[in-house]
Amino acid sequence: MALGDHDPEQEPPLGDDERAELLSDLTDLAVYQALLEPRGVRGIVVDCGDCGEPHYHEWELLRSSLEQLLNDGRMRPHEPAYEPNPGHYVSWEYCRGFADGVTETENENSR
């Protein structure tokens, strides 16, 4: 999409389900960061459906983008990470699996 081709006023407001999902994502993001940042993970990688390239989002940038989407109903363009090391980023699915594994281990240890 070329700059100026998009009118943000034309976008419908977020629905209740979308808002709830964003709040859940922000909660999950905080958990993932708490678990993975101490292990050297700098953020999340997302495969872009538009350009087919991976996009690397540091924790705070992703949090800021999700909060903006929640508050404004859209995300502003942002600068991509400069020469990111792909080994420092993991997928959302990896984060979820890691968090599930930690939770399961803690549950087993508390029995």
Side-chain angles (χ1 to χ4, degrees):
M1 170 174 20
L3 290 178
D5 286 352
H6 180 69
D7 183 5
E9 301 299 321
Q10 297 290 333
E11 291 191 27
L14 294 176
D16 291 340
D17 290 343
E18 292 168 311
R19 293 184 66 75
E21 188 174 325
L22 278 170
L23 289 169
S24 177
D25 286 348
L26 283 164
T27 300
D28 290 345
L29 183 64
V31 170
Y32 302 158
Q33 182 178 4
L35 291 172
L36 293 164
E37 189 174 47
R39 291 171 168 80
V41 176
R42 293 188 180 168
I44 293 181
V45 60
V46 178
D47 290 327
C48 179
D50 291 334
C51 71
E53 296 290 323
H55 290 220
Y56 299 91
H57 302 276
E58 293 187 0
W59 300 115
E60 294 306 320
L61 175 62
L62 185 53
R63 180 179 342 292
S64 174
S65 294
L66 291 174
E67 288 172 346
Q68 183 179 29
L69 182 57
L70 183 64
N71 294 328
D72 300 343
R74 61 186 169 89
M75 285 191 268
R76 69 181 178 274
H78 61 273
E79 289 294 319
Y82 179 72
E83 294 185 12
N85 178 340
H88 291 156
Y89 296 84
V90 294
S91 69
W92 193 268
E93 292 77 20
Y94 178 93
C95 292
R96 184 178 298 121
F98 190 89
D100 288 347
V102 168
T103 301
E104 183 64 29
T105 299
E106 289 178 356
N107 288 340
E108 286 177 4
N109 291 338
S110 67
R111 291 180 195 166

